Each structure stands twice: as structure tokens, then as C-alpha cells.
Amino acid sequence: MNLSITKRFFISLFLTFPLLVEMILMPLGWSLPGHNLIAFLLTTLIMLLSAQPFWRSAWSASKKHHANMDTLVAVGTATAYFYSIYAMLFHQPVYFESAAVVTTFVLLGQVFEERMRKQAANATEKLLKLQAKSALVWRAGQYITLPLAEIQINDQVKVLPGEKVPIDGVVIDGHSSIDESSITGESLPIEKQVDDPVIGATINTNGTLIIKVTKTQNETMLQQIVDVVKKAQVSRAPIQKLTDKVSDVFVPIVLIIAIITFLAWYLALHLPVGQSLSYSVAVIVIACPCALGLATPTALMVGTGRSAKMGILIKNGDVLEIAENIKTVVFDKTGTITQGQPLVTDVFGSNKNSIIQLAASLEQLSEHPLAKAIFNAGHDAKITTLPVNNFQSLTGIGAQGMIQDHSIVLGNNQILSSDTKISNDFIQKTVQLEAEAKTIVYLSVDAVVIGIIAIQDIPKTSSKAAIAMLKSRGIKTVMLTGDNQGVAKNIGQSVGIDQVIANVLPTEKAETIIQLQKSGTVAFVGDGINDAPALTTADLGIAMGSGSDIAIDSGDIVLVKNDLQDVTRAIEISQKTFHKIKANLFWAFIYNIIGIPIAAGVFTNSGLTLSPELAGLAMAFSSISVVFNSLLLNETRIQ
């Protein structure tokens, strides 16, 4: 008969109640009519309906030459039950109530554990509840409401103001602001227009959007987050393997102590068999390592759930122990420390608006990344571009064309002819900007340089603070890049990196990580396809959520918000979760070490004893205390 833990508990409680009443009223001279027979019948029902799973579990473990926490419960209750049958037949005192009450208290502890486990696992359920149930999908010339499961890639979906974006896609019409805080943690709404990607389960705040679906329901970012969290929650931290080995040794030792306890009281101290067994059963019950078994999985479940809410996906339990010993964090440069795309940083000339307008007008026809940076600068400055005639792209040099009957030339120093005039001010400014590792673009009108534009892949706004946070924790920071020494040194200095390693080929990144590992445990933070070997080689791989799929697959941790400060937070939550596991294990062992001699009757002369019933209650509360301690991770302050 497969009954739930809750049903088994209430059955056991109902049948134990008369025995409990008798235990309370017995000092007043009251006992159940036909005490022994009633106690036998009630306890037999409890053993068959409520305690049977303990016995089955203990038997299965014994067939594999192992012992588990159920072994102690099964041996303890069976000893009390079968001895009482023997005692009843030979008219001696019985201990049926011990077997019944211990079973009830153990089940009470399991009911609380089950409820707390559900509470700890709520993170994934809450994440899934973020998802919309249905969407307005374009079918047969009109928008109709369909469940998400029926939406296919390339379907056209309408998202009204105030509604959740139902599924991942790209905007093909409309303009709006999207609140992505539920997925990425970004506090400010993000402006979305045509060609911008949108994430399912985020909230469309003001405008109507038409999106083209790019992911099915099972492939969305939200579903990927849920999958990663579930995988981490069922993974086993290395310390759990140690716990399993300890349990294998611990249970036989407890059984030996219980036998010695019985023999000592019965043979050496000449106590009756029943009372001697009572001490022995108390030892078995108090030593039940339920708390030991809960110490790691509950902390892991709460820790990974908390980190997921912060936009930090921890893929497995191994990460926790590694994060504890991190000595060096190595960063990729492009896309990790920097924005990953060139931006205009300086415009030098007498009329900056005119310089940007002419340059953006010319570059609007080019696909080069530097041209895009200049065009975006004009767009951001809300400058209207001018028509261009005779446009010509000069590969590796720049571009030229006619604007309002003037010859406009834009590019590096190779585009300047010997007839081009350039003032000393521009030459001196060029020297200064090049010293800052910036790329210089000259703008000339009718063979006269009127301005220079400096372009650079600038650091992210969070990079400097992130590096400072790591250094404050005593962690060395290193930047690894294929860029030249000048550019790398400039970027490294601007964000406060301890060591810069430049001119590293993609194939050499993993080898460099191996060299750094000689000085201690190394974490690598990257986002590109070429970072995958380093992410895998490092002791701890941290992938940026905006990175390539292969980088995300290679990382042990994924930073969904792409905020470098989350590197420190990821290490901190991992360390605190690992510390919580160690604290749980410490208290579980201490509890057993203190409880066993009391239960064995070592302190009986001092009046300190523990009956099997109280031992069962104490054991149940020890398990609850471990789960409660793990849940406190939800309240722990993270920097």
C-alpha cells in the first residue's frame, strides 16, 4: 500500500493517541482496558500501515551491504515491537508505545521536511509562473488567442501594452519599453524597436509590438533558466559524497554502540531485559542521521534558487566547493570587460556637430564596424544626415563622396593625400589620442582636415566596480586578450586590473589558464566562441549571458544580466551556500555526538536520561532545524 508521508503520519498519530493518553495518565493510576492486547493491536497497525516503508528501505539497503537512516528507525522500532510481543506472551512489561511513538515522531519530522523542501524548491515554480499562458497569434488573416504550446517559430504575435511578452522573438513592428527585471534583473525598462530581440515572460509597458517568434516554448530563455536551476538542485556537491561515506560507517557503529549499551545494562548492571532494551532503542533512534542526509541537498536547493533569482545560474554543486578557494579571476577583454563594439569617444574640431553630420552622412552607406560607430554617434546626437553622391568605399582605408558639392574624405591616415592640409593642433591631438589606444579617423573637406574622430571599444560601466569588488576580497584579477599590449594596457589600467596578458591567440588562452593554475584555483570569465576552451580549462568557468551558445554551455555559472559585478556575487553566494552545508554537517554530527551518550544512559546517575519517545521527537526536530538553517540562505545579505 503506497500512502503519502502525510497520510502515514496521521494514521500513526490517530492510532498512537490512546497510547499517549495512557502514558500521560499512567502516573495517576489509569491505564487502557486490556492494555497489552490494545497496545499490541494499535502498534501492529502502525507497523503495517505507517512504518512499513522504513523496513522496506532498510531491507533494500542491507541487500546492497549498505545502511541508511531508515535502517536505524527500522531496527529501533522493530526491536521494541518484537521484544514487546515476546514480553506479552511471557507476562513481562511491554514497550509497544515506544515503537508507536517513535514512528509517529519520525513521520512528523518527515512531514515538516517535505513541506520545507517544497518551500525550498519554490524558485523554479515561481520562475515558470512568470510565463504567459497564451498569445495573440496571426492566423488566417486575423489575430487569435492560442496556448503557447501551439506557437511555432516565425509565427507573428501581437503584444498589447501591459501584457507579458509570451515568448522569445524579435520586433518586426512597433515601439515600446519592456520591463525585463523578472528575467535579467535590469531595473530600468529597455526601449525596443524593429529588429530588437525580446524575451518571453517580460512585460510590455506602453506600446503595441508585433514580434516574430524565434524560439518555441521549450527553448525560451526562461525555460533554459528553469532547466539549469533544476539540474543544479539535483546535482551532488563533492562534500555530499563524503557524507554518504560517513553514513555508511556511522550506522554500523551506532548499531554496535546500541548492542554494547544493552549488554552493559543487562549483563553488567543487571537491569531487566525490557529496560535495557529501552536504552538500546533510544541510542538507535537518537542517532538516526536524517539531519546528516538533509544537510547538503537542502542548502544546495536554497542557494541555487536564490542565485537564480539574482540572475546567476549555477549549473552544478561542484561549483560551490571550487568558489570557496578561488585565488585568481581571469577576464576576457572584448565583450566581457568592454562593450564589445566600438564607440565614438572624442570629436575634435571647431564645429563638432558639422563633423559628426558629414561623417555620419558618408558612413550611413558603409557596413564597416567603425562606420557603424560613427553613424550611431550621429543618430544618438539626433543629427540629420545629408545626401551623398559618388560614394566610394576604400577597403582598409575609409570612404569618400560628394556632399553639397564638396569632396568629403573620411578614414585613417592612409586616406590623406600629400595635398591634404592638416594643422599642428590636429597632429598633436592625434598623438595624444593614439597614446590612449584609440583609433583615429580623419575628416577632410576639399583636401583640408576639419576634424578628427576617436573610436574605442570602451569598458562597461560596471567593469571598474566589479574589479574593485574582487580585489577587496583578496582575489587577483587578470585580463587575457589577443589585442596588442598598448590597447590592453590602457583598458586594464582604466578598470584597475592587476595583470594584463596581451597578444594571446585564441588557441593559447587555455594554455595560459593552465600556467595561472600553478598559483592557485582560477576562474575565467568570457563570452565568445574562442573563450570556450578557457572556460572549460579553468577550475570555474563563468559565461556572460549575452555570449555565444558554446560559451554558455562551457561555463559552470551563467550571468544572465551580463553585469560583471555578478562575478563577485556568484562567488559570494557559492561560498555562503558551501559554508551553510558545512554548518549543517557540523550541527548534525554534534547533535549525534551529544545525544548518543545521554540516550545510552551514561548520565543516568545525574538524572539526565532520554527515553526512546523523546529521542524520536528530538531527532525529528534536529532534521527540521537543518532545513530551517538552509532556508536562512534566502535572508543572507549578498554584496
Side-chain angles (χ1 to χ4, degrees), residues 179-230:
D179 179 356
E180 296 184 342
S181 58
S182 58
I183 299 296
T184 67
E186 175 61 52
S187 57
L188 298 176
I190 308 295
E191 293 293 319
K192 297 289 181 180
Q193 53 190 0
V194 174
D195 292 337
D196 284 342
V198 291
I199 305 170
T202 56
I203 297 174
N204 178 24
T205 60
N206 45 22
T208 298
L209 293 174
I210 306 297
I211 65 171
K212 184 173 74 173
V213 176
T214 56
K215 299 280 181 65
T216 64
Q217 183 185 9
N218 296 326
E219 298 171 335
T220 61
M221 180 181 287
L222 177 65
Q223 187 59 51
Q224 290 175 26
I225 291 171
V226 170
D227 291 344
V228 168
V229 172
K230 283 183 176 177

Side-chain angles (χ1 to χ4, degrees), residues 4 35 136 148 166 215 242 264 307 332 335 341 545 568 599 628 632 639:
S4 67
H35 164 75
L136 284 172
L148 294 194
K215 299 280 181 65
L242 173 64
S307 66
D332 165 54
Q341 56 184 6
T568 307
F628 180 74
L632 289 179
Q639 189 175 9

Side-chain angles (χ1 to χ4, degrees), residues 9-29:
F9 164 68
F10 280 111
I11 289 171
S12 187
L13 178 65
F14 177 75
L15 295 172
T16 304
F17 185 73
L19 302 177
L20 282 171
V21 172
E22 184 187 45
M23 285 172 62
I24 296 170
L25 298 180
M26 191 172 284
L28 303 177

Side-chain angles (χ1 to χ4, degrees), residues 57 90 128 194 202 236 274 325 365 458 498 571:
S57 172
F90 291 92
L128 283 173
V194 174
T202 56
R236 294 162 68 82
N325 301 309
L365 303 173
I458 62 173
D498 291 317
I571 292 173

Side-chain angles (χ1 to χ4, degrees), residues 70 79 143 149 154 245 373 424 445 465 467 475 489 507 547 586-587 618:
D70 289 339
T79 302
Y143 284 102
N154 291 328
K245 289 180 182 176
N424 285 333
V445 177
I467 302 299
I475 295 174
K489 185 179 177 183
T507 52
F586 172 79
W587 287 113

Side-chain angles (χ1 to χ4, degrees), residues 493-523:
Q493 285 179 340
S494 68
V495 297
I497 284 278
D498 291 317
Q499 181 182 358
V500 173
I501 303 177
N503 299 312
V504 181
L505 297 174
T507 52
E508 296 173 344
K509 283 190 172 181
E511 295 173 11
T512 308
I513 293 295
I514 292 172
Q515 292 298 318
L516 291 169
Q517 283 174 322
K518 293 178 181 177
S519 301
T521 310
V522 173

Side-chain angles (χ1 to χ4, degrees), residues 322-329 474-475 521-523 539-540 571 575:
I322 296 170
E324 171 77 3
N325 301 309
I326 290 294
K327 302 295 181 192
T328 305
V329 174
I475 295 174
T521 310
V522 173
D539 300 290
L540 179 62
I571 292 173
Q575 290 176 336

Side-chain angles (χ1 to χ4, degrees), residues 53-168:
F54 296 126
W55 295 11
R56 282 204 304 264
S57 172
W59 177 245
S60 298
S62 68
K63 287 195 293 185
K64 297 175 184 175
H65 307 291
H66 287 291
N68 56 28
M69 58 193 73
D70 289 339
T71 303
L72 294 178
V73 177
V75 171
T77 54
T79 302
Y81 175 69
F82 287 111
Y83 168 75
S84 296
I85 293 175
Y86 164 82
M88 182 177 68
L89 293 175
F90 291 92
H91 307 292
Q92 294 180 19
V94 299
Y95 295 90
F96 285 118
E97 69 279 3
S98 295
V101 173
V102 166
T103 301
T104 302
F105 282 148
V106 171
L107 285 171
L108 172 64
Q110 291 190 350
V111 168
F112 281 127
E113 288 167 23
E114 189 176 61
R115 291 185 178 180
M116 288 187 175
R117 277 174 183 267
K118 286 180 180 176
Q119 185 179 344
N122 269 349
T124 53
E125 292 180 14
K126 287 178 180 175
L127 285 172
L128 283 173
K129 285 179 181 176
L130 295 174
Q131 198 170 46
K133 304 294 183 190
S134 58
L136 284 172
V137 186
W138 182 259
R139 292 283 166 83
Q142 61 179 337
Y143 284 102
I144 60 173
T145 302
L146 291 177
L148 294 194
E150 295 184 22
I151 298 179
Q152 300 171 358
I153 290 177
N154 291 328
D155 269 348
Q156 187 173 307
V157 172
K158 178 188 279 188
V159 188
L160 299 174
E163 289 187 346
K164 286 182 179 177
V165 177
I167 202 161
D168 293 6

